[in-house]
Amino acid sequence: VSQSRYGGPNISVLYCEIVGGGNDESDAWPWNDGVSFRATGNGDNFRLAYCYLRDFGRCPIFCSANVDNVIIEHCYFRLFESWTGDPGPEDDEHAETASVWGGANGWVWRYNLIGYVEGTGGLIFEGDDFKVYGNIFYRLVAETWENGNGVIGTWTASTLTGCKVFNNTFININSGEV
């Protein structure tokens, strides 16, 4: 689902499975993201609910534009790719469960099941007035996650204002990953 190509404001995507192209070990275009917002205002008032998102070569949710008032609820997120290239960091493909930046405001993440966090982190935001509540973050015992900024956070040099994180459950998550 690419809002910059096919969408506009005031769209809902409900009751579906969104499957990526799997591990592609590439940072080349087109990126293997799930739901993608790349045009300012083109995804305002978007709702994603009751969906299963899995097997992406990058981010299940990607927003690089000023997109406001997005609700992600009752979804299940599992498996995406983040890898370190060879020979150096310029070949890396970072990923997050959600990569939301570019002036996004008023996003709500509620009642989701998030079973995989890798790369930069889980829900990685930059903007204002984010609400994250009622979610379950879990890691299978047999898995290890390598992430830099936790399951809910921001990029190292970014800030959040008016963000509220409450009533979430963390299962088998190391204290340094929260």
Side-chain angles (χ1 to χ4, degrees), residues 7-21:
N10 307 312
I11 291 179
S12 292
V13 176
L14 309 170
Y15 300 100
C16 65
E17 182 177 16
I18 303 172
V19 182

Side-chain angles (χ1 to χ4, degrees), residues 4 7 16 21 28 30 39-40 48 53 59 61 66 68 76 130 149 156:
S4 61
C16 65
T40 296
L48 180 72
L53 294 89
C59 304
I61 305 292
N66 184 359
D68 298 334
Y76 177 37
F130 285 85
N149 295 8
T156 305

Side-chain angles (χ1 to χ4, degrees), residues 30-175:
W31 295 307
N32 187 357
D33 294 322
V35 177
S36 179
F37 304 92
R38 298 183 194 277
T40 296
N42 206 21
D44 286 353
N45 306 311
F46 179 83
R47 180 177 176 229
L48 180 72
Y50 305 100
C51 296
Y52 177 29
L53 294 89
R54 64 179 177 88
D55 297 323
F56 296 99
R58 207 170 73 149
C59 304
I61 305 292
F62 181 83
C63 177
S64 63
N66 184 359
V67 174
D68 298 334
N69 305 317
V70 171
I71 297 174
I72 311 289
E73 62 184 347
H74 302 285
C75 293
Y76 177 37
F77 295 87
R78 184 82 181 118
L79 298 179
F80 60 89
E81 170 194 29
S82 177
W83 62 280
T84 302
D86 187 33
E90 68 278 359
D91 299 312
D92 294 354
E93 179 176 49
H94 73 90
E96 303 80 33
T97 307
S99 180
V100 182
W101 51 282
N105 300 297
W107 283 52
V108 175
W109 279 77
R110 62 185 178 202
Y111 314 123
N112 297 292
L113 183 60
I114 300 159
Y116 196 73
V117 173
E118 187 176 74
T120 304
L123 307 181
I124 303 298
F125 300 128
E126 176 185 69
D128 298 320
D129 194 31
F130 285 85
K131 293 177 185 66
V132 180
Y133 60 91
N135 300 285
I136 298 172
F137 297 85
Y138 76 94
R139 179 175 55 193
L140 297 175
V141 174
E143 289 182 344
T144 57
W145 295 345
E146 294 185 26
N147 69 72
N149 295 8
V151 295
I152 303 172
T154 189
W155 289 269
T156 305
S158 299
T159 60
L160 289 170
T161 57
C163 182
K164 295 176 178 71
V165 177
F166 57 96
N167 293 339
N168 295 284
T169 301
F170 302 92
I171 300 170
N172 198 32
I173 308 294
N174 294 331
S175 61

